[in-house]
Amino acid sequence: MAASFASLPTFSFVNSSRFPRRRIDSYSSRKPLEVRCCSGNIRDNKQRGTFSSLKECAISLALSVGLIASVPSMVSPPNAYAVASPAIPDVSVLISGPPIKDPGALLRYALPIENKAIREVQKPLEDITDSLKIAGVKALDSVERNVRQANRSLQQGKSMIVAGFAESKKDHGNELIEKLEAGMQDMLQIVEDRKRDAVVSKQKEILQYVGEIEEDMVDGFPYEVPEEYRNMPLLKGRATVDMKVKIKDNPNLEDCVFRIVLDGYNAPVTAGNFVDLVERHFYDGMEIQRSDGFVVQTGDPEGPAEGFIDPSTEKMRTIPLEIMVTGKKTPFYGSTLEELGLYKAQVMLPFNAFGTMAMAREEFENDSGSSQVFWLLKESELTPSNSNILDGRYAVFGYVTQNEDFLADLKVGDVIESIQVVSGLDNLANPSYKIAG
């Protein structure tokens, strides 16, 4: 069994029927954790893993976030250190815009490109989702307007889009534009035939073309990783993995394959570490170790170590906290955005999609991530992307893009049969799994 991480503070949650009581904490495999609610109930949690607590949050600000973001309000733990500045962005940031909850959209906007023309094609196609909230076939009139707007933007901005392709990817990019044009014509035919049920699958298809067009605008890896991390496994681009989980005691679901897109453009060290462990088959046969309605977590190996022991060094491999902020060319390493005083900074990979994947770590050691990972079982209806109170505190490095809804069905003891890289392995630099020993 794994050794415990840091000793844990006890939290008191605001006892309100309006908000679910969910823990944001790290926890131990050796000691039961007492979670004390205001009503005085105490329960033990013996699941393994680590998930660091928020260190401080004034009650008034926490309640504001709870009202806006639908997250549980908290009282500061008694042993948390105090800071003069607020631990969360101010409310004006929280209400500055609508949330982006779709993992595909978050991944598209996270690409290191600046091409306004393709973004003007992307947006109305994504807005089809909102158009479909209209009841019945009346929604199709709005869908038609979305598609025609996207098509106009494509025709008007095609030269700018083509000019944005990396030189080595221009041929492929032009092929994708043709597929996108054909796909939008197919969508207009679907609208004309009044086949509402066919809209979602076609929307997903054409947005896939948009995403691939945008990826063809990225010319190599855009920056140098700091020297102290340069020899670690690095994902210089993106990779896709399939995680197959054997599900116990569920008559409706025996096993499920979750597709996960890992983003090395914004988290090369964190994503590279994970891909390297996947290629070592580190997670194959491992159980789900936490599932509490808030997160699903795994990655704590058998034995005394809390993370991956590199056989070449016989020491636990740890990685730094890694956060990419909008407008910056390289990630911040080793510090939370709170510690850096960047309370209004916008992260490139926000905790806003159900199935957001991030690296767990010790409570007070930012650079203690190793192999334990978690998926967030939450999406915000009101909080704008980049304003979740977890943003800037944990290293997000990917999103579940297929079957993410089934994450909520996973239970402690369900087994990860395998995780396999299905694309992007060639983007992994310094793969340690190839080193004997």
Side-chain angles (χ1 to χ4, degrees), residues 237-256:
R238 287 184 173 169
T240 301
V241 301
D242 281 348
M243 180 174 72
K244 184 177 181 181
V245 181
K246 182 74 171 178
I247 298 173
K248 301 177 180 179
D249 304 324
N250 188 331
N252 301 316
L253 191 65
E254 185 173 347
D255 42 34
C256 188

Side-chain angles (χ1 to χ4, degrees), residues 16-30:
S16 169
S17 60
R18 296 186 61 185
F19 305 117
R21 295 177 190 166
R22 289 172 174 171
R23 296 191 352 266
I24 303 179
D25 54 34
S26 60
Y27 51 92
S28 168
S29 61
R30 287 184 174 176

Side-chain angles (χ1 to χ4, degrees), residues 179-211:
K179 291 180 179 180
L180 176 59
E181 290 174 324
M184 288 194 287
Q185 291 305 311
D186 290 344
M187 180 71 90
L188 291 174
Q189 187 63 52
I190 288 170
V191 170
E192 183 177 335
D193 295 340
R194 315 307 279 176
K195 295 180 179 178
R196 178 187 167 113
D197 291 345
V199 170
V200 172
S201 60
K202 181 57 66 173
Q203 179 200 23
K204 185 173 182 179
E205 176 189 320
I206 59 182
L207 280 172
Q208 180 68 30
Y209 296 144
V210 171

Side-chain angles (χ1 to χ4, degrees), residues 82-309:
V83 294
S85 301
I88 58 174
D90 61 28
V91 173
S92 65
V93 173
L94 293 176
I95 62 177
S96 62
I100 299 175
K101 301 182 292 181
D102 177 64
L106 291 169
L107 286 163
R108 286 187 289 273
Y109 283 113
L111 285 166
I113 64 170
E114 296 180 5
N115 191 290
K116 183 179 179 182
I118 191 61
R119 297 300 194 197
E120 290 180 349
V121 177
Q122 174 182 334
K123 182 62 167 62
L125 293 176
E126 291 172 344
D127 287 346
I128 290 173
T129 301
D130 289 332
S131 296
L132 290 175
K133 293 178 182 178
I134 301 171
V137 294
K138 290 183 178 180
L140 296 175
D141 296 333
S142 184
V143 171
E144 181 180 5
R145 288 192 292 273
N146 296 140
V147 177
R148 292 195 183 280
Q149 180 184 346
N151 191 50
R152 285 194 301 271
S153 296
L154 178 59
Q155 300 311 317
Q156 293 168 1
K158 186 181 292 186
S159 60
M160 184 182 297
I161 293 170
V162 171
F165 289 138
E167 190 63 36
S168 62
K169 303 176 182 179
K170 281 191 174 181
D171 290 343
H172 184 249
N174 283 315
E175 291 176 8
L176 289 169
I177 289 176
E178 292 178 2
K179 291 180 179 180
L180 176 59
E181 290 174 324
M184 288 194 287
Q185 291 305 311
D186 290 344
M187 180 71 90
L188 291 174
Q189 187 63 52
I190 288 170
V191 170
E192 183 177 335
D193 295 340
R194 315 307 279 176
K195 295 180 179 178
R196 178 187 167 113
D197 291 345
V199 170
V200 172
S201 60
K202 181 57 66 173
Q203 179 200 23
K204 185 173 182 179
E205 176 189 320
I206 59 182
L207 280 172
Q208 180 68 30
Y209 296 144
V210 171
E212 291 180 26
I213 287 170
E214 292 172 347
E215 289 196 47
D216 281 349
M217 294 177 175
V218 183
D219 189 8
F221 192 70
Y223 57 87
E224 284 289 340
V225 172
E227 185 174 359
E228 58 264 44
Y229 312 124
R230 206 165 290 170
N231 293 325
M232 301 180 75
L234 305 173
L235 187 64
K236 294 189 170 184
R238 287 184 173 169
T240 301
V241 301
D242 281 348
M243 180 174 72
K244 184 177 181 181
V245 181
K246 182 74 171 178
I247 298 173
K248 301 177 180 179
D249 304 324
N250 188 331
N252 301 316
L253 191 65
E254 185 173 347
D255 42 34
C256 188
V257 177
F258 300 92
R259 177 148 290 187
I260 308 168
V261 176
L262 309 172
D263 188 349
Y265 290 122
N266 294 288
V269 176
T270 312
N273 175 73
F274 181 77
V275 173
D276 190 69
L277 293 177
V278 166
E279 287 300 297
R280 289 176 175 272
H281 304 284
F282 175 84
Y283 298 98
D284 294 359
M286 186 172 286
E287 292 184 351
I288 299 298
Q289 296 156 349
R290 177 181 181 182
S291 180
D292 57 9
F294 185 33
V295 299
V296 166
Q297 186 164 325
T298 193
D300 184 2
E302 294 293 334
E306 299 97 339
F308 167 66
I309 300 297

Side-chain angles (χ1 to χ4, degrees), residues 407-425:
L407 284 168
D409 293 306
L410 299 185
K411 303 177 300 301
V412 173
D414 290 344
V415 177
I416 298 173
E417 292 187 345
S418 65
I419 305 181
Q420 295 182 332
V421 179
V422 296
S423 66
L425 185 58

